[in-house]
Amino acid sequence: MAIERTLAIIKPDAVADGNVGGIVGMIEASGLRILGMRMVRLTVPQAQAFYAIHAQRPFFEGLVAFMTSGPVVVLALEGEDAVASWRGLMGPTDSTKAGPDTVRGRYGEDVSRNAVHGSDAVQTAAVEIPFFFPTCQLI
Ligand code: IDP
Ligand code: MG
């Protein structure tokens, strides 16, 4: 077990549906500490850059359109095994397969409109957190 940091994004579907408070509440109840949090509207180039690893996937264009369709809330989180802990709380990518105690099970719709993002590894988080939070802004 180690103290890690991870990036969470509350996606446009969840923001539009008024689920920011519910999701932030689940994060806090889980024991993860919020280091930084703000609302942003991604541009198309920013969303393409953030999801560059998926550039060749058939869903890439739809993913970029979705992620730029409205404001998102970005959070830098810290805690014991924060990467796996947040991924566990999120639930699987496909919301229809996510359990009722997960964020995606509670607030997601399907495999694309799935309410939240989470870094998939410590090394990924180390790139994704500075994408939104300059290190000097974090507590
Ligand atoms: P993750 O968000 O659980 O890490 P990834 O495979 O990294 O899942 O995919 C990134 C995002 O791309 C997903 O959260 C979802 O919004 C979208 N996505 C992934 N797979 C599909 C798909 O098969 N169809 C449509 N959208 C998808
Ligand atoms: Mg991913």
Side-chain angles (χ1 to χ4, degrees):
M1 300 271 273
I3 300 291
E4 297 170 353
R5 291 182 173 189
T6 191
L7 182 83
I9 304 178
I10 303 176
K11 295 185 177 184
D13 56 335
V15 174
D17 291 345
N19 292 325
V20 172
I23 293 169
V24 171
M26 289 177 77
I27 290 170
E28 290 188 319
S30 78
L32 286 162
R33 194 162 72 88
I34 297 172
L35 297 180
M37 175 165 81
R38 64 198 179 89
M39 184 171 280
V40 298
R41 178 84 188 246
L42 289 172
T43 65
V44 167
Q46 284 168 338
Q48 288 171 333
F50 185 80
Y51 279 114
I53 192 154
H54 295 308
Q56 305 308 319
R57 307 286 283 278
F59 59 80
F60 182 66
E61 208 174 316
L63 174 60
V64 169
F66 168 52
M67 290 301 292
T68 57
S69 66
V72 302
V73 174
V74 294
L75 304 98
L77 306 177
E78 185 175 77
E80 286 281 352
D81 286 329
V83 170
S85 166
W86 172 229
R87 293 286 310 190
L89 182 61
M90 285 165 55
T93 307
D94 186 347
S95 306
T96 66
K97 300 193 167 88
D101 294 336
T102 67
V103 176
R104 284 169 163 169
R106 200 171 292 180
Y107 299 115
E109 206 175 301
D110 53 28
V111 73
S112 61
R113 299 174 64 86
N114 56 9
V116 283
H117 167 85
S119 306
D120 61 12
V122 170
Q123 299 91 315
T124 315
V127 175
E128 291 184 349
I129 292 171
F131 193 95
F132 294 106
F133 298 101
T135 309
C136 62
Q137 281 181 12
L138 287 177
I139 293 159

